[in-house]
Amino acid sequence: LVLRALLNLGYAQGDAEVMTKCMMHAEIHGNNQGISKMYRPQDMGFNPNAGPLLYENETANGVVVNGNRRSGMVALDMAVQKAITKAAKSGVAVCGTYNTCTSTGMLAYYANRIAEEGFVAFVMAGSPEMVTPVGGKNAIFGTNPLCIAIPGPADGPVVLDMATAATTLFGTISTKAAGKQLPPGVAVDSAGRPTTDPDAALKGAFLAFGSYKGAGLSLMIELLTQALSHGAIAAAGEAHVGTGRKWREKNWANTIIAFNPKLLWADVEQYKARVAEICLHVRNSGPGVMLPGDIEKKNRDANLKKGALEISTGLYENIAKLASGPASRL
């Protein structure tokens, strides 16, 4: 159904298949980067003038994928394939993407694929202006998520997938629509004053989680994505949520770092065993202790056992209508 809907939006078969796999992976794992993106089809950002992916500055260890205005998921998917191939040959790969302006979806989808091949993976996503530094009022950073995946445990790689923002654009809009207030400490108004009013936050900026530590991490991801992988960068003193140079230029960047533990271990299985042992100690350290990614794995297993996914009636109807209707060029 999702695949047919994407084809009707105008996406080519290959692109639609990549996007469907990415969104369904998120949906099965209970992540909010799933098919809810299809609620408003125009938000998928189909561009009829998009061109083929271009590979720039390619070396044995790296490449920059110019998305050429195609889906962010499609560009990052290709960067993952490149990273796996290059890391397998040379031990380490650094691959970036730029010139896309749509969501890349759940970063764990990409990082886990790299870790399943036996490599340690770092996947970072830049995004447009939404977050201000501590003490600031102008949005500079995106929500700037980071995902790290490490092979070892028998039930699959350990995967940490987290945004560096204290709130999200979708969450803030939903809070405003519900007539509710934001929790304290997640946003500032246009004057840089703390606010719980979602409308004021949307006219101001979000904050990073964890105060200075989160803001510092968000900055590093900004430098490793937008700066390193050729994305647009924020201009001084002009932006609040939804405005700014990155929004105007529609050029968001992502970066992948993948390396083979063989660079440090002659016997990689010994390293994986140590990872598994540490994870076991963590799980056994107290009742209810969980590893990053455990909740998503439980959601996946439960959904696969049921053989079905529960989604809202409105979302289903929107996707079904698009899937059954004539091809569109939204």
Side-chain angles (χ1 to χ4, degrees):
L1 198 65
V2 172
L3 177 61
R4 291 202 304 272
L6 289 170
L7 291 172
N8 273 351
L9 273 175
Y11 286 100
Q13 180 76 31
D15 287 9
E17 289 176 355
V18 167
M19 296 167 71
T20 299
K21 288 178 183 178
C22 181
M23 289 189 288
M24 289 305 298
H25 179 93
E27 199 69 34
I28 289 170
H29 285 78
N31 183 275
N32 63 8
Q33 296 290 322
I35 58 175
S36 60
K37 295 179 181 297
M38 298 289 292
Y39 184 74
R40 287 174 19 114
Q42 60 267 36
D43 291 342
M44 294 301 296
F46 173 73
N47 186 343
N49 298 316
L53 298 179
L54 303 174
Y55 308 115
E56 300 172 354
N57 200 40
E58 187 158 14
T59 68
N61 298 98
V63 66
V64 181
V65 179
N66 180 341
N68 217 351
R69 303 299 181 179
R70 285 169 73 180
S71 162
M73 297 177 194
V74 172
L76 191 54
D77 183 81
M78 178 52 68
V80 166
Q81 296 179 49
K82 290 278 189 178
I84 290 172
T85 299
K86 292 178 184 296
K89 291 181 179 179
S90 63
V92 63
V94 181
C95 300
T97 76
Y98 78 106
N99 200 13
T100 66
C101 63
T102 59
S103 172
T104 50
M106 182 184 183
L107 293 191
Y109 170 67
Y110 308 99
N112 189 74
R113 285 164 54 194
I114 297 171
E116 289 282 6
E117 296 294 328
F119 308 122
V120 174
F122 292 77
V123 181
M124 295 163 279
S127 52
E129 296 91 337
M130 284 182 273
V131 177
T132 190
V134 176
K137 63 178 182 179
N138 297 313
I140 297 175
F141 312 136
T143 54
N144 289 12
L146 162 70
C147 186
I148 303 172
I150 299 175
D155 64 343
V158 185
V159 181
L160 171 68
D161 188 353
M162 55 173 279
T164 55
T167 187
T168 65
L169 179 60
F170 179 76
T172 303
I173 293 172
S174 298
T175 299
K176 177 182 176 181
K180 298 180 179 180
Q181 294 289 295
L182 295 168
V186 303
V188 296
D189 64 16
S190 59
R193 297 171 300 209
T195 185
T196 59
D197 179 354
D199 189 56
L202 291 169
K203 295 174 183 176
F206 305 147
L207 295 172
F209 82 95
S211 189
Y212 291 98
K213 293 181 180 179
L217 182 57
S218 186
L219 169 61
M220 293 300 109
I221 294 172
E222 189 81 11
L223 301 180
L224 289 170
T225 55
Q226 296 300 123
L228 181 63
S229 293
H230 301 257
I233 59 175
E238 66 167 4
H240 59 77
V241 174
T243 69
R245 184 158 62 188
K246 287 188 282 182
W247 287 97
R248 291 195 304 273
E249 294 186 5
K250 300 184 182 302
N251 180 5
W252 311 340
N254 306 277
T255 301
I256 297 169
I257 301 171
F259 68 87
N260 195 330
K262 284 184 178 180
L263 294 172
L264 300 175
W265 281 87
D267 184 353
V268 174
E269 294 307 312
Q270 290 186 39
Y271 166 69
K272 292 181 179 180
R274 287 162 68 89
V275 171
E277 183 178 357
I278 292 170
C279 291
L280 181 62
H281 292 334
V282 171
R283 283 201 174 106
N284 292 339
S285 65
V289 174
M290 304 183 78
L291 292 172
D294 276 355
I295 293 175
E296 288 78 8
K297 288 177 181 176
K298 287 187 176 182
N299 290 336
R300 175 200 63 196
D301 294 344
N303 285 325
L304 291 176
K305 184 177 181 180
K306 286 190 301 184
L309 290 169
E310 295 181 10
I311 62 174
S312 71
T313 301
L315 176 59
Y316 175 80
E317 289 176 347
N318 282 11
I319 296 174
K321 181 179 179 180
L322 183 59
S324 61
S328 170
R329 289 289 171 177
L330 283 175

